Amino acid sequence: MQKKVMNLKDAAGLIKDGQFLGIGGNGLHRNPSVFCFELARRGLKDLKLVAAAQGLASDAICAADSVKEIYFGFFGFENEYGLAPGMRKGCQEGKIKPLEGP
């Protein structure tokens, strides 16, 4: 059987510019945060993200100017912390196209 476990940098290296990514988790909980921080560090461009309730992990990629479109039902840091600042700034500057709902 082929080995399917790899280190974080190798896994992040599989993601290329322009790809469509489904991000798990919900707001601030059960996000693939460290993986998304690595994607943000890599400086990818034109990614499309989808999740029901995007939060910290997705916001890191938005803040790195790596996202072109986001599909979501809610995008923020739960009720206590408001909207995600990287996503909000990208949308306000016209760098990110927000697409809410299905």
Side-chain angles (χ1 to χ4, degrees), residues 25-45:
N26 184 27
L28 296 174
H29 305 283
R30 294 183 300 275
N31 285 289
S33 298
V34 176
F35 179 73
C36 289
F37 295 160
E38 178 63 21
L39 292 180
R41 188 195 65 76
R42 291 175 43 85
L44 295 164
K45 295 294 179 196

Side-chain angles (χ1 to χ4, degrees), residues 67-82:
V67 177
K68 179 180 179 178
E69 295 177 354
I70 49 175
Y71 298 79
F72 61 97
F74 172 79
F75 199 138
F77 295 158
E78 310 294 338
N79 294 331
E80 294 83 16
Y81 305 109

